[in-house]
Each structure stands twice: as C-alpha cells, then as structure tokens.
Amino acid sequence: MVRRLPQHRIADVVNAGLRRRYAAEMRFRFCGLMAVAVSLAMLGVLFSSILGSGLGAFQQTRISLDITFDARVIDPDGALDIAVLSDADYDALVKAALRDLFPDVQARRDRRELYSLVSTGAAYQLRDMVLADPLLIGKTVRVDVLASADMDMLAKGNIARDIPESARRISDQEMAWFDHLSDTGRVSRVFNQMLFTAGDSRQPELAGIRGALIGSLLTLAVTLALSFPIGVGTAIYLEEFAPRNRWTDLIEVNINNLAAVPSIVFGLLGLAVFLQVFGLPRSAPLAGGLVLTLMTLPTIIIAARTALKSVPPSIREAALGMGASKLQMIFHHVLPLAMPGMLTGTIIGMAQALGETAPLLMIGMVAFVADVPGWITDPSTVLPVQIYLWADSPERAFVERTSAAIIVLLGFLIVMNAAAVLLRKKFERRW
C-alpha cells in the first residue's frame, strides 16, 4: 500500500526543490558574471598598460636652434650642385648652433655631451631643407630639430631626476643644459610623424613603423590572393562535388587537424620548401604570404564549408528544378548566399595571420630592414616582428615605440574583426 503525503507536504517538497533549483541557477549566473568581470578587468589592465607605455611615442621632442646655413660649409664653390649639397657637412652646422647657445662649453668631453642633446637625424633634416630650398644658403633660420632619444625621455618624465648621476643615462650637466633650453622656450613637443613615415633605425628617435606597415600589407595581400580562392574552391568541391568515401573523410580529418597545428610548424615547412627547394627570396612578403596562406587555409576552408551548409537544400532543389546546371546552381544561387559567411571567416583568418610572428621568424623576416619595401620580393619585415625586434632592444626609448606599435597592431585587428562582424550582421540571412 502506497502512503500518500498530505497536500501541504507535497507543496513544501515542490517549493523546496524549486528554491534549490533557483539558488543553483543564481549561483551559476553569479559565477558567469564574475568570469566576465574578471576577463574585462584583465583586458582593461592590458590595454591601460599598453596605452600608458605607448601613447608617449606619438609625441616627439624638438629643440629650436638658430641654424646658420654657411655657404662655406654647404656650397663653397657656389655652383648649387645637387651632389655637393647632399654631401655637405650639415652636422657641423648643428654643432655650431649649439656652441653659440653655450659659448662657455670648451672642453672636448663637455662638447661631446652638448652635441648629444640633438639627434643625429638633425643633419639629414637640414640637408632636406637645403635641397628643397637652396635659397636658404647664407641665411640664419630658427629650425626645430629632433632631440635625442635620451632628451625625449627626460622631457616626458621617463628618466628620474632624483637618482644618482651614475644610475642615469644622462649627466647632471646635460640635464642643466636641457632645462636651460626648456626655460628659454626652445623645447617643444609635436606629433611624431616619423613614427608613421620612417622605416626602422638603430636610433630610437628616428625609428618608425612605415616599413613594417607596408610589409604587413604586402604579406597580407599575397595571403589573401592565394588563400581565398583556394580555400573557397576547396570548400565548394568538398561540399558540392566530392563523393562521400574514405578519401574525402581522410581529407576532412586532415583539414580539421591542420587548423590546430602550431604556427611555427608552417614556418618550418616554408623554410624547407619555399626557401630551400624553390629558392624564394628570404625575408620577403612573397615567402611570408605563402607561409601564412598555408596557415590560414584550414580556417577559410572550414568557414566556407559551414557557410555552404547553412544554405537550405530548397535553394539548390529550386534552381535545379528550373533547369539550371549544377555549376549554375552553385555560382548563381548558393555561393552568393554563402559569401557573407565566407568573407567573415576569411577576415578572421587574415586577422589571425596579421598577428603571427613565429612562422615569419623561421623564414628570416627577423632581419633589420631600414628601407620601405616596394614590392613582394623586396626585403621587409612585418608589424609583429618589428615589435619583437624593438622589445629586444636595450634602449629605454624603444620600449615606448614597442607599445606604440602594439597599439597600431591592435587597431588593425579591431578594425578587421569589426568588419567581419558588420559583414555578418549586414548580409547574414536566417532561414
């Protein structure tokens, strides 16, 4: 005989079970919210650290000097020959302007320290001014020349003044000279255009990311030109034409496995095949693009197949029923509907390729390249490798430029991922 509980006891048991379920659900939601909060906090710490270290690199310290463009130094013959003007000793003009500001500095060692206030790039700046306007010869003009990296760090407060002189890169005398220039209104800070217009350099104040930017764009162009048509074509064949047998199953398994292979393995493959067998130029966007193509192909193929599968079978059946061939059905009806998903997967794959460093290091794109590449076969580097090179440099000013390059790289990645999201939102269809 089954004993029945009273009605009020049944209600108590049910209510107790509901309370336990609601409590478990609340605990789960709380844990989820805490996980999101911790992730956002860590992301905020990362971004604040990078921004705090790198925003200073977008400004540059300059020192105003009264430069006398002495004809005896620049063009002693008065012929205004371009070769003579280019080879003139413009560094002597900068040193003469500094001596005029501090006439009491006579000792050789003191003068060497005085000259270190200004970057070695100041001479090239004066040369470009004379080549652009030869009428400057014989005149005295106030010119804002580039300060040295140490003076730039001092102006931005990145060099402590209250530590012993032996623990600093600059002496008390250099600090006194710089303070005098600042007090007389000869020190200013402007937007650092050279960060985006110059290539790499051994001098931090002259280093820029233009070469790495152009190298990244050329490398991604090669990657996109190869990976997108090959990946989409492979996905169409496997999804629409390939018979279902053990060979296609083996191909699908290997494609899925390749998507999880460490990127450095593709670098080793590129080193062994593209460089040693085919003899492609080392440290060139062509070789880098081929390596990144191998790395991104599995991602694009998987995304393209998923996009093709999302198109309803009724679209295919309707097209075939109206007399279209299979090829017309694919290219006129299925592919346009699947293209937004394919583009989204391709952009995500490109963003992943943009941030890769290990495979490019293996093919020699770690070399110091000061020139800006003009084509896919020219020696170049890319932004992630440029960041790696600057992070390995001992100069304090390169730390600032490393963070600035990371900010630019993150900006590119955010733009590319935002484009993928917008494409998906704009063209995605729900069936």
Side-chain angles (χ1 to χ4, degrees):
M1 183 177 179
V2 180
R3 183 179 178 183
R4 297 179 59 88
L5 292 174
Q7 191 69 25
H8 68 278
R9 288 286 297 152
I10 295 176
D12 293 341
V13 171
V14 172
N15 291 332
L18 288 175
R19 284 193 296 269
R20 287 193 298 269
R21 287 167 56 187
Y22 291 151
E25 181 181 349
M26 292 296 295
R27 288 194 299 269
F28 183 78
R29 292 179 61 183
F30 176 77
C31 292
L33 290 174
M34 287 300 299
V36 172
V38 171
S39 301
L40 292 177
M42 293 299 177
L43 188 63
V45 170
L46 173 64
F47 275 99
S48 61
S49 174
I50 295 174
L51 291 175
S53 302
L55 286 179
F58 294 95
Q59 287 189 321
Q60 198 172 49
T61 303
R62 292 184 176 269
I63 298 175
S64 297
L65 298 179
D66 296 323
I67 303 294
T68 300
F69 292 92
D70 194 344
R72 293 171 298 177
V73 176
I74 300 174
D75 189 21
D77 297 332
L80 295 180
D81 184 46
I82 297 298
V84 175
L85 297 181
S86 299
D87 295 335
D89 188 8
Y90 293 97
D91 192 46
L93 304 181
V94 178
K95 293 177 179 178
L98 287 170
R99 289 195 302 269
D100 291 341
L101 286 174
F102 300 96
D104 297 335
V105 180
Q106 298 295 332
R108 179 177 298 179
R109 179 180 177 182
D110 293 342
R111 283 190 172 183
R112 191 181 303 116
E113 289 187 346
L114 177 64
Y115 299 153
S116 66
L117 297 180
V118 177
S119 170
T120 56
Y124 301 107
Q125 180 182 349
L126 299 184
R127 181 197 63 185
D128 293 339
M129 291 177 62
V130 171
L131 292 177
D133 185 11
L135 296 179
L136 289 174
I137 299 175
K139 298 181 180 180
T140 299
V141 181
R142 175 162 291 193
V143 181
D144 291 338
V145 298
L146 194 63
S148 66
D150 291 335
M151 295 301 106
D152 184 52
M153 291 292 99
L154 179 64
K156 295 174 181 176
N158 294 327
I159 294 181
R161 293 173 172 266
D162 54 351
I163 60 176
E165 183 179 8
S166 58
R168 298 193 304 263
R169 287 179 57 91
I170 59 177
S171 64
D172 292 339
Q173 194 172 33
E174 289 175 292
M175 291 177 59
W177 289 332
F178 185 80
D179 290 340
H180 174 74
L181 292 173
S182 180
D183 293 339
T184 55
R186 290 182 176 269
V187 176
S188 60
R189 288 168 64 179
V190 297
F191 178 72
N192 187 6
Q193 294 182 354
M194 293 187 66
L195 184 66
F196 300 97
T197 59
D200 196 8
S201 174
R202 301 294 185 188
Q203 305 298 324
E205 70 275 10
L206 300 177
I209 61 174
R210 183 184 177 189
L213 278 174
I214 300 299
S216 295
L217 292 176
L218 291 174
T219 303
L220 287 180
V222 173
T223 304
L224 180 62
L226 294 174
S227 61
F228 183 72
I230 295 175
V232 172
T234 303
I236 291 175
Y237 174 76
L238 291 176
E239 198 62 33
E240 303 292 343
F241 293 100
R244 295 292 181 259
N245 53 39
R246 64 178 61 184
W247 293 110
T248 54
D249 292 341
L250 181 63
I251 292 173
E252 292 179 6
V253 169
N254 280 281
I255 290 174
N256 293 328
N257 289 336
L258 283 175
V261 170
S263 59
I264 195 171
V265 176
F266 294 100
L268 292 171
L269 178 62
L271 176 64
V273 177
F274 299 135
L275 298 186
Q276 297 182 3
V277 176
F278 294 103
L280 294 181
R282 183 181 293 269
S283 187
L286 177 60
L290 288 171
V291 171
L292 294 181
T293 296
L294 296 177
M295 191 193 72
T296 56
L297 266 177
T299 303
I300 296 176
I301 292 173
I302 293 172
R305 293 193 66 188
T306 303
L308 289 171
K309 289 178 182 179
S310 65
V311 178
S314 58
I315 301 294
R316 297 173 172 85
E317 295 169 358
L320 294 175
M322 294 297 292
S325 66
K326 191 168 185 178
L327 202 61
Q328 289 174 329
M329 176 266 292
I330 293 172
F331 284 96
H332 294 176
H333 301 278
V334 177
L335 194 58
L337 296 175
M339 189 56 67
M342 293 180 178
L343 292 177
T344 300
T346 302
I347 293 175
I348 292 175
M350 291 295 103
Q352 178 188 2
L354 178 63
E356 284 295 336
T357 305
L360 302 179
L361 295 179
M362 299 304 301
I363 62 170
M365 295 192 80
V366 71
F368 174 80
V369 180
D371 297 329
V372 178
W375 187 237
I376 59 175
T377 56
D378 295 338
S380 67
T381 186
V382 292
L383 268 176
V385 177
Q386 187 69 78
I387 292 169
Y388 169 78
L389 291 173
W390 284 352
D392 197 45
S393 299
E395 288 86 352
R396 173 66 179 81
F398 273 121
V399 175
E400 195 176 59
R401 277 155 178 78
T402 300
S403 298
I406 292 174
I407 293 173
V408 175
L409 180 61
L410 288 176
F412 271 108
L413 294 175
I414 291 172
V415 169
M416 294 180 71
N417 283 279
V421 173
L422 291 176
L423 280 174
R424 187 173 67 247
K425 293 290 187 182
K426 183 175 180 61
F427 297 107
E428 185 179 27
R429 287 194 180 184
R430 297 186 180 275
W431 309 98

